[in-house]
Amino acid sequence: MAIRKTAICLMVAAGVWAQQVSAQQFPVHHQHLHKYCAGTLTVDEKGIAFQGPKHHAWTWPYREIQQLTLTSQSIHILGYKDSSLKLGRDEAYTFTGAIPAAGLYARWSAALDQRFVAAGGRTGEPDGMKFPAKLLGLTKGTHSTLVFAVDVVTFGARTWRYTDIQSIASSGPFQLTVTTLDKQFRFQLKQPITEATYNQLWLDIEKKNGRIQ
């Protein structure tokens, strides 16, 4: 009888632990134009929800998030819905507070694609092939280190899983283009990439995506 009771207790404890792991809740401030309101943000395997005062309550399934930006003190959610107050610009929400950035980074980096931008939570660069580089933009570029790790490519705050990458291309030893499922990123390398290194990176990405054996 004692063994049975112990087993039941362990099963209940395991269930509670699994529920705690699957969902995170923490207090935040929803930033308004001039002020803010206090509420609770809930994060689980399906998406993100905010519960605040009056009518300030929203839910975002991950598929409805255009970009999710995490820092050590804030979470910024850019959705797809047009804002009637901003001339058709997409609605965006910013939450601040004691953000559990490390835990959220571990969750979102494993579950989300290139829409996740980690400006905080990640400590240092992952191990892998590293190239100091400049990400070229329309008006100005961004300087950081392009890292090809075991399963992901990172550049500053950005992380792309290999499965998010359609292809990489190089027109010269100081040029590298990464094409993801919805966007193309052009990098100006600050050190040359050899043909052998490029071929190995291309082969690793193709294998991860199952396009070659």
Side-chain angles (χ1 to χ4, degrees), residues 38-67:
T40 300
L41 207 64
T42 301
V43 177
D44 60 23
E45 71 279 3
K46 296 180 181 179
I48 304 170
F50 173 75
Q51 183 65 50
K54 298 180 180 179
H55 301 294
H56 285 212
W58 304 283
T59 300
W60 300 273
Y62 288 130
R63 65 178 180 275
E64 297 298 329
I65 296 177
Q66 185 176 162
Q67 183 167 293

Side-chain angles (χ1 to χ4, degrees), residues 48 60 65 67-69 75-79 91-95:
I48 304 170
W60 300 273
I65 296 177
Q67 183 167 293
L68 178 60
T69 304
I75 295 172
H76 183 77
I77 300 173
L78 177 64
E91 286 189 341
Y93 304 82
T94 298
F95 302 96

Side-chain angles (χ1 to χ4, degrees), residues 50 58 87 95 97 99 104 115-116 124-125 132 134 153 160 182 197 202:
F50 173 75
W58 304 283
L87 301 178
F95 302 96
I99 306 297
L104 292 176
R115 293 173 298 172
F116 174 49
E125 296 170 348
K134 177 181 179 181
V153 178
W160 303 278
D182 62 355
T197 299
W202 179 89

Side-chain angles (χ1 to χ4, degrees), residues 181-211:
L181 298 175
D182 62 355
K183 195 172 182 180
Q184 190 175 80
F185 300 88
R186 296 186 300 116
F187 295 94
Q188 182 178 11
L189 304 181
K190 298 180 181 180
Q191 66 183 44
I193 182 172
T194 66
E195 184 176 358
T197 299
Y198 168 77
N199 289 339
Q200 185 60 55
L201 294 175
W202 179 89
L203 185 63
D204 291 342
I205 291 173
E206 293 299 302
K207 285 184 176 179
K208 287 289 184 180
N209 283 280
R211 291 189 283 261

Side-chain angles (χ1 to χ4, degrees), residues 89-144:
R89 293 175 59 187
D90 296 327
E91 286 189 341
Y93 304 82
T94 298
F95 302 96
T96 61
I99 306 297
L104 292 176
Y105 173 78
R107 174 191 293 272
W108 287 337
S109 62
L112 300 180
D113 52 26
Q114 68 269 19
R115 293 173 298 172
F116 174 49
V117 178
R122 183 175 66 215
T123 56
E125 296 170 348
D127 293 331
M129 295 186 185
K130 300 182 179 183
F131 305 90
K134 177 181 179 181
L135 173 60
L136 302 178
L138 293 177
T139 57
K140 63 179 181 179
T142 303
H143 299 263
S144 189

Side-chain angles (χ1 to χ4, degrees), residues 9 23 30 36 47-49 68 106 108-109 112 141 151 169-170 177:
C9 290
H30 171 224
Y36 65 82
I48 304 170
L68 178 60
W108 287 337
S109 62
L112 300 180
D151 294 305
S170 177
T177 299

